[in-house]
Amino acid sequence: MTSTNARRRRRSRSVARRLFLGQLAVVTVLVAIGGIAVVLDERALSDEATRHEVTAIVESLATSPSTAEAIESPDPTAILQPVTEEIRRATSVDFIVVMAPDRTRFTHTNPELIGGQFTGSIDRALAGETFTESYEGSLGPSIRAVTPVMDDGGTLVGLVSAGVTRARISDRFVAGLPVVLAVVAAALAVAVGASWILNRRLKSQTMGLAPDELRSMYDHHDAVLHSIGEGLLVWGHGDEAEVVNDEARRLLDLESDTVSRRDLPESLRGLGDSSVRDEMHLTSTRVLVVNQNPVIRGSRRLGTVTTVRDHTELQRVLGELDSMTSFAESLRSQAHESANRLHTVITMVELGRTEQAVEFATQELALSQNLIDRLMSTVQEPAVAALLLGKVSQAAEQGVELTVTEDTALADTDAVARRELVTLVGNLIDNAIDAAKQSDEAWVEVSVRETDTDVVVEVADSGPGMDADALARARTRGYSTKSGSRGLGLALVSQVIHRHGGTLSSTASAGSVVTATIPLGSLR
């Protein structure tokens, strides 16, 4: 019961209901004012039409030669009374009076008033002018016209007046009033119907919420949009986003007030309205995880919601972790291999073959120790040195011979640059190992060195190679659905190159050679 009452109260105070009642009141007042204006205008038009009517009657009668002749005859009433009465009945006027210049009536609707004095103004008619006036005469208030009657010589011999009483004019007006009221009622019905349709549509769009509820919802909506840690874009049916929060603008580098799909990074432009789940996208500076879902209400699709999460730092850490994991796995396998060698040496000593045991131990130790000593002395960046050592063992486990060139040398860098180099070198070597495994004699050669101005990382492999166009496509791949950092490959390398203003090139002559160059100053 409480829930029902709450819903009833909500309906009674909804925006749509309030607007409908307000519109209904305004429309009713406007239609009423319009109806009154129409009635008054119709009344004025009725008076004007009456003036034209009586003027036409008196002018027609006055210009007839028989009228002047009858006035000058010995008995004007006997001639004119039947004629004027016939005209009066035919035209539905209330009186037609033919009079002498001294106001003496020759004709009248009431025969008893014949011979009496015409009441009303005649001065303008005596001066030769036809005019109309409203006057209360013998039959009551009326609209009348008065005009002079001239003989053949142009001498004024009499006057003609015709009029319609106000009572008859009111009767005519009242007879036409239902039509006017019907038009007004029809206008009111149309206005109310339009308001009701608008009310239904507004109620559907506002979900029957009251103004304070809409305001509260907007405040909460705005607060949520500014506080959530994910980028949010809401798309309607057009190409422009209807909602873009602050985090989305930051992650996607959006500056303009209005955002269209053309403003998004290249990989996100092609998403359209498709559904996307935890899809990884790369921009020039960030690794983003994108989700996109349609917004459906009932059976109608309202739009699409796109969310964006920043995984840039996480991806870098995962890259470092992957490298360290590879190094740890390499140490584990080396420890296992060392245990096997140690057992071999001990057994050879027990068998009395001491010289062969010493030769076997020193030979194996020299090979691995030589590489470790060389890297530790020339590569002062410990993370990169550890990465290279780990990748040598990792490549060997996969059947790939990985060689670190003699010219490899690198000074120490700061913490941020160290992470960048691990991402750069690790991904280039991983890609090279994967490519080299496609050849019969799998090998990879790595060089990390400094020049006077740059740090140069060069990775060659025995794989099929990658020309400049293939490298460009790999660098601008929008996304990867592979798990882990390797699915991003050269796209992550491209991000590091972009951040430090370096270059990345590839040649595919004898195998594949990928060269990355980063200005030395950006790593110090």
Side-chain angles (χ1 to χ4, degrees):
M1 182 64 71
T2 303
S3 176
T4 302
N5 292 335
R7 286 195 296 269
R8 288 176 179 173
R9 288 195 298 271
R10 173 176 290 186
R11 286 197 294 269
S12 67
R13 65 175 184 267
S14 68
V15 172
R17 186 179 182 86
R18 292 185 183 187
L19 182 61
F20 174 69
L21 294 176
Q23 283 181 326
L24 186 60
V26 171
V27 166
T28 302
V29 171
L30 290 178
V31 170
I33 293 174
I36 293 171
V38 169
V39 169
L40 294 177
D41 187 60
E42 187 67 22
R43 185 62 180 267
L45 291 176
S46 179
D47 287 354
E48 187 65 23
T50 300
R51 290 187 179 92
H52 285 296
E53 180 184 5
V54 295
T55 298
I57 291 172
V58 297
E59 287 180 344
S60 176
L61 191 57
T63 56
S64 175
S66 61
T67 302
E69 293 174 359
I71 291 173
E72 293 177 334
S73 68
D75 191 0
T77 300
I79 299 173
L80 294 173
Q81 179 70 7
V83 174
T84 57
E85 282 300 294
E86 183 179 355
I87 295 173
R88 183 185 66 79
R89 286 190 293 269
T91 57
S92 298
V93 296
D94 287 303
F95 66 86
I96 299 177
V97 176
V98 181
M99 71 193 84
D102 62 356
R103 296 177 178 269
T104 302
R105 301 188 187 100
F106 297 133
T107 64
H108 198 279
T109 303
N110 185 357
E112 295 179 359
L113 298 179
I114 295 175
Q117 293 292 305
F118 177 79
T119 57
S121 302
I122 63 171
D123 294 340
R124 293 164 63 186
L126 292 176
E129 179 185 351
T130 300
F131 70 94
T132 60
E133 66 174 353
S134 295
Y135 190 82
E136 186 171 356
S138 57
L139 299 180
S142 64
I143 294 177
R144 60 180 63 185
V146 183
T147 190
V149 180
M150 305 293 186
D151 61 11
D152 293 339
T155 302
L156 187 145
V157 296
L159 303 171
V160 179
S161 177
V164 179
T165 62
R166 283 289 182 187
R168 184 181 292 273
I169 294 173
S170 297
D171 291 342
R172 292 179 181 176
F173 172 74
V174 171
L177 196 58
V179 176
V180 176
L181 294 178
V183 172
V184 172
L188 180 60
V190 170
V192 171
S195 296
W196 182 80
I197 293 173
L198 180 60
N199 168 67
R200 295 280 295 180
R201 180 172 179 81
L202 185 61
K203 185 176 182 180
S204 173
Q205 292 179 337
T206 61
M207 303 179 70
L209 296 175
D212 55 341
E213 292 172 323
L214 285 175
R215 183 175 60 253
S216 177
M217 181 179 293
Y218 173 80
D219 292 340
H220 294 163
H221 170 271
D222 193 57
V224 169
L225 284 180
H226 286 82
S227 62
I228 60 176
E230 290 188 354
L232 177 68
L233 300 97
V234 179
W235 307 91
H237 295 293
D239 194 41
E240 290 189 355
E242 296 179 354
V243 176
V244 182
N245 73 343
D246 296 340
E247 185 67 5
R249 292 183 180 278
R250 184 185 72 83
L251 294 179
L252 301 177
D253 298 323
L254 303 173
E255 297 180 356
S256 60
D257 293 334
T258 58
V259 175
S260 68
R261 292 194 183 274
R262 295 186 300 273
D263 300 321
L264 300 180
E266 184 177 355
S267 66
L268 272 71
R269 296 174 196 167
L271 289 180
D273 296 329
S274 60
S275 296
V276 172
R277 183 69 177 174
D278 290 335
E279 195 171 81
M280 192 169 290
H281 287 246
L282 278 82
T283 68
S284 59
T285 57
R286 291 184 175 89
V287 179
L288 305 175
V289 175
V290 178
N291 286 275
Q292 182 166 280
N293 295 289
V295 179
I296 299 176
R297 183 181 177 189
S299 59
R300 188 162 58 98
R301 183 175 184 135
L302 302 179
T304 308
V305 175
T306 304
T307 59
V308 182
R309 300 195 307 274
D310 189 2
H311 273 214
T312 305
E313 292 302 319
L314 177 60
Q315 196 62 48
R316 291 176 185 172
V317 173
L318 287 175
E320 292 182 28
L321 178 61
D322 183 59
S323 298
M324 295 302 104
T325 301
S326 298
F327 184 52
E329 288 295 323
S330 175
L331 292 177
R332 182 191 60 78
S333 80
Q334 287 185 7
H336 182 72
E337 184 65 20
S338 296
N340 291 335
R341 293 170 184 169
L342 181 59
H343 286 302
T344 301
V345 171
I346 293 173
T347 302
M348 294 176 69
V349 171
E350 290 176 347
L351 294 175
R353 299 185 177 183
T354 308
E355 294 182 2
Q356 289 89 340
V358 172
E359 181 181 355
F360 175 80
T362 55
Q363 181 181 11
E364 291 297 322
L365 179 62
L367 290 175
S368 58
Q369 191 62 42
N370 180 56
L371 176 61
I372 293 173
D373 292 342
R374 179 163 61 85
L375 289 180
M376 289 298 100
S377 63
T378 58
V379 180
Q380 300 176 21
E381 174 52 70
V384 176
L387 175 68
L388 292 175
L389 289 172
K391 292 300 181 183
V392 170
S393 299
Q394 180 184 351
E397 290 179 0
Q398 299 182 48
V400 178
E401 181 184 358
L402 192 152
T403 304
V404 181
T405 61
E406 295 290 337
D407 61 350
T408 294
L410 183 65
D412 197 3
T413 61
D414 62 26
V416 175
R418 182 179 305 128
R419 295 168 59 185
E420 301 278 55
L421 282 174
V422 167
T423 298
L424 175 67
V425 176
N427 277 284
L428 287 179
I429 294 176
D430 287 338
N431 288 341
I433 292 174
D434 290 340
K437 288 190 295 185
Q438 302 177 39
S439 62
D440 294 334
E441 296 182 3
W443 57 266
V444 173
E445 187 175 272
V446 181
S447 173
V448 182
R449 62 186 184 276
E450 289 185 13
T451 66
D452 293 338
T453 58
D454 302 307
V455 172
V456 180
V457 179
E458 189 174 83
V459 181
D461 62 73
S462 59
M466 181 182 298
D467 57 21
D469 292 337
L471 176 65
R473 288 194 298 271
R475 292 181 63 180
T476 58
R477 279 191 311 167
Y479 64 91
S480 171
T481 55
K482 296 180 182 179
S483 61
S485 61
R486 294 178 189 173
L488 303 175
L490 289 176
L492 285 174
V493 172
S494 182
Q495 279 190 340
V496 176
I497 295 294
H498 177 80
R499 279 193 291 271
H500 293 277
T503 61
L504 184 67
S505 61
S506 174
T507 57
S509 53
S512 173
V513 180
V514 177
T515 304
T517 303
I518 296 179
L520 191 58
S522 66
L523 297 175
R524 294 289 188 265

